[in-house]
Amino acid sequence: ALPLSFAQERLWFLDQLQPGSAAYNLPYALRLTGALDVDALERTLAEVVRRHETLRTRFPGVDGVPSQVIDPAGPVPIDRVDLSGDAEAERESALRALAAAEAARPFDLSAGPLLRCTLVRLADREHALLFTLHHVVGDGWSTGILAREVSALYAGFAEGREPSLPDLPIQYADYAAWQRAWLSPERVGEQLAYWRERLEGVPALELAADHPRPAVQSFRGGRERIALDAELSAAVRELGRCEGATLFMTLVAGFELLLSRLSGQEDFAVGTPVAGRTRRETEGLIGFFLNNLVLRADLSGDPTFRELLARVRESTLGAYAHQEVPFEKLIEELRPPRDPARTPFFQVLVNMPPRAAGDVLELGAVEARPLEAGEPEARFDLTLYLADDEQIGLALVYDAALFGAETARRLLGWYEVLLEAAASTPDRCVSTLPLLREAERAALAAAAPRPRPALPFEPFPASALEGSIAARFAQQVRRAPEAVAVETDAHRWSYAELDARASQVARAVLRACGEDAARVALFLDHDAPMLAGILGALKAGAAYVPLDPSFPPERLRRILADVEPAALL
């Protein structure tokens, strides 16, 4: 049995927890312009899959233990869709919908194949080629290898010759076996010691979201983009050069400052991916080598931006020097608190992909340009993509279950304002750097509520206060026990059912606390069970204290310390 790499093993277990999820699909699409030789394309894909065993690997599990099974090489099926008969506007809309649907179609890791290809005919000399592969067999670097090999091989087959590429020195299964043997406790002890000290007690980043955090990640994402103007881009680069920092470090410092201002936290962590190809033999190999590094932010003591940049530089260089330990190994060894709604250690990622990913390819006489395939998957609360162009490009992918598009646009605007201020006055303390432009400040001041005049006190009529809430609810139960009392996406209860559940809560409170229960804390989502908790607390003669699960942990702790509830539901 061939072992999985640590990264593959983690994705396999995540797939077992959420079967049918497309969260770790990697879509890659090309728009092809020119006379396309479909037979040459089929031979090209078959040769790429023959060369890279990982593209014909599947991952069955026996008694909860996965292994790699490599299938024989053979033809690669290409799904074909013809949109050439549609009007141009309808054609583009249909292509986007098709790309989104293909990117969202899940894989079966145990059955394979884990690479799908769809060829869309748009016109006689225009096609779109949609690739989808599962992250367990590839990463962003791999899509660049795939594109380059398709370009080189297609040109040869289209010209009627047998193209050849250099033999691969190893296959991914070799790397996985080597990684398992190489990462012995003795060899990684020093690196693990660094991470254990670096990540000790790192708190979760608590950003105010537009919506409550769901119990499980939805991975449904959205994307907003801006580009810094040429003058600001040059100023940001110059600041980094003066401080001996890369453009990436300078932009990360600005983003950490934004996150600190939004959360009120001086201590948190962000993640960043690295290629993970630290051995020359892996550079031309399709496979999952990507590793995530954790960068701990430190904004304590209100440093100047120049001082913050020095801290980010030190943190980044330290992480790079200890990148041999896979992220999955860190989770295994350091055992951070597990939460199905969050990524361990960090919830925000910063990524600067290599520029070559956007190059135009030549497939013989056919020109190929990258095509955005569907809506992005949001594996984190926020992911900031940085493009090192003349005008620095910023793309913010956000978890649509937490944030709206308008919030994402505001975040990018505030980030731009902070970078402008930091680049022009890096010796100012970070707390004094502006977040808003003058127009925004004026608009907020104009919209501020005016003080209201005092109104005369008018007490409620006594008839409105007759009987407790629990007693008046009991009257309604007797009047219409079968009528629907509450209906949500997950529950539909009659008055009798809601009353029965509330009575269960009341009996549990009285059993646990007796009749001295003054306050009952309700740590519940806004759903039907919360109503049962409210009524149950009132039936037990207690007051209820609602605790919103989306609140920051520190706020929840303070509320609990203040009210000292007799019971927590």
Side-chain angles (χ1 to χ4, degrees):
L2 297 174
L4 281 65
S5 68
F6 287 104
Q8 285 182 321
E9 187 175 68
R10 179 167 182 257
L11 288 195
W12 187 87
F13 280 114
L14 289 174
D15 186 73
Q16 300 302 298
L17 291 172
Q18 289 185 276
S21 170
Y24 289 93
N25 284 9
L26 280 179
Y28 180 68
L30 294 169
R31 185 184 289 272
L32 308 177
T33 304
L36 183 66
D37 184 335
V38 177
D39 179 64
L41 180 62
E42 290 178 334
R43 296 176 65 189
T44 294
L45 296 178
E47 176 61 12
V48 172
V49 172
R50 184 200 67 78
R51 284 171 51 77
H52 297 273
E53 290 179 354
T54 189
L55 296 180
R56 43 191 169 92
T57 299
R58 48 193 174 86
F59 301 87
V62 178
D63 297 329
V65 179
S67 63
Q68 299 194 52
V69 175
I70 302 169
D71 291 327
V76 176
I78 301 178
D79 295 333
R80 300 192 190 187
V81 179
D82 191 346
L83 300 178
S84 60
D86 298 349
E88 184 174 355
E90 296 173 353
R91 201 164 57 218
E92 290 300 317
S93 176
L95 174 60
R96 286 194 297 271
L98 180 65
E102 176 56 30
R105 186 155 60 97
F107 287 97
D108 182 345
L109 298 192
S110 63
L114 302 181
L115 168 68
R116 293 194 300 260
C117 306
T118 301
L119 181 63
V120 185
R121 186 172 184 266
L122 303 171
D124 288 343
R125 295 176 57 83
E126 190 171 359
H127 294 77
L129 184 58
L130 311 179
F131 295 105
T132 311
L133 65 158
H134 196 279
H135 216 328
V136 76
V137 297
D139 51 22
W141 185 298
S142 297
T143 59
I145 296 171
L146 176 65
R148 289 194 298 273
E149 292 201 358
V150 166
S151 174
L153 292 168
Y154 174 88
F157 286 128
E159 293 168 5
R161 55 183 174 83
E162 288 292 329
S164 64
L165 293 174
D167 290 339
L168 297 171
I170 63 169
Q171 292 291 338
Y172 189 86
D174 301 321
Y175 164 79
W178 168 84
Q179 185 192 55
R180 292 278 176 177
W182 187 83
L183 285 173
S184 63
E186 299 78 16
R187 185 168 277 118
V188 298
E190 179 186 349
Q191 296 217 355
L192 278 174
Y194 167 85
W195 288 113
R196 186 172 282 109
E197 178 183 358
R198 186 70 184 166
L199 301 180
E200 176 68 29
V202 61
L205 177 65
E206 301 287 354
L207 294 174
D210 297 329
H211 313 290
R213 184 179 294 276
V216 178
Q217 280 182 283
S218 71
F219 301 104
R220 182 172 53 87
R223 182 191 291 111
E224 293 294 330
R225 289 189 175 93
I226 64 170
L228 306 183
D229 63 40
E231 183 179 353
L232 176 56
S233 298
V236 170
R237 286 192 177 89
E238 181 60 26
L239 174 60
R241 278 195 292 269
C242 291
E243 300 304 311
T246 63
L247 175 62
F248 173 78
M249 296 172 186
T250 310
L251 293 171
V252 166
F255 198 54
E256 287 185 354
L257 173 55
L258 173 65
L259 296 173
S260 175
R261 296 284 287 273
L262 295 176
S263 66
Q265 295 176 233
E266 297 178 341
D267 181 18
F268 54 89
V270 299
T272 188
V274 289
R277 297 170 186 260
T278 56
R279 300 294 185 275
R280 187 174 61 183
E281 295 89 345
T282 64
E283 291 180 358
L285 196 60
I286 292 176
F288 186 17
F289 296 91
L290 183 78
N291 193 21
N292 286 326
L293 302 182
V294 188
L295 307 179
R296 189 163 186 172
D298 177 11
L299 290 97
S300 59
D302 195 14
T304 66
F305 190 83
R306 201 185 299 275
E307 291 168 340
L308 173 61
L309 181 52
R311 295 179 187 181
V312 171
R313 179 180 181 275
E314 179 184 4
S315 171
T316 306
L317 291 176
Y320 288 161
H322 298 85
Q323 64 174 290
E324 294 283 3
V325 181
F327 183 65
E328 294 71 26
K329 192 71 173 174
L330 285 184
I331 297 173
E332 177 185 316
E333 294 287 337
L334 305 187
R335 299 185 181 278
R338 305 308 296 269
D339 183 345
R342 300 174 188 260
T343 310
F345 295 121
F346 62 86
Q347 296 80 49
V348 173
L349 189 86
V350 185
N351 186 6
M352 182 179 277
R355 293 182 61 183
D359 288 347
V360 177
L361 299 169
E362 298 293 338
L363 281 68
V366 178
E367 181 183 86
R369 291 179 177 273
L371 175 70
E372 209 164 81
E375 289 298 319
E377 293 288 342
R379 301 188 187 107
F380 308 96
D381 293 0
L382 298 171
T383 301
L384 180 66
Y385 288 93
L386 311 171
D388 184 8
D389 299 321
E390 181 180 355
Q391 290 186 239
I392 296 169
L394 308 174
L396 188 66
V397 172
Y398 57 91
D399 185 340
L402 297 176
F403 302 101
E406 179 59 33
T407 297
R409 285 191 288 271
R410 283 203 303 270
L411 294 182
L412 287 174
W414 295 339
Y415 182 39
E416 184 178 21
V417 173
L418 282 175
L419 288 175
E420 287 176 357
S424 60
T425 55
D427 291 312
R428 285 176 62 178
C429 292
V430 293
S431 64
T432 67
L433 295 175
L435 199 65
L436 304 177
R437 299 190 187 280
E438 285 304 318
E440 280 186 289
R441 288 178 181 276
L444 286 174
R450 300 280 185 262
R452 290 187 175 184
L455 298 176
F457 174 70
E458 295 182 7
F460 287 106
S463 60
L465 301 175
E466 290 176 357
S468 68
I469 292 174
R472 295 177 68 182
F473 180 77
Q475 293 173 8
Q476 175 63 17
V477 173
R478 288 193 293 271
R479 277 196 298 268
E482 300 307 317
V484 175
V486 55
E487 184 170 6
T488 70
D489 290 342
H491 302 90
R492 190 175 192 271
W493 293 346
S494 67
Y495 280 94
E497 290 173 316
L498 178 54
D499 184 58
R501 286 170 168 80
S503 296
Q504 286 181 320
V505 172
R507 285 194 292 270
V509 170
L510 291 172
R511 277 198 306 269
C513 310
E515 296 183 355
D516 296 328
R519 289 173 292 277
V520 174
L522 306 179
F523 187 70
L524 296 167
D525 289 315
H526 293 189
D527 205 340
M530 186 172 188
L531 293 180
I534 290 172
L535 287 167
L538 297 177
K539 281 190 172 198
Y544 68 92
V545 181
L547 301 175
D548 194 323
S550 68
F551 284 172
E554 182 59 30
R555 181 175 178 184
L556 294 173
R557 283 192 288 270
R558 289 181 181 179
I559 294 173
L560 287 170
D562 187 40
V563 304
E564 297 181 343
L568 173 65
L569 179 63

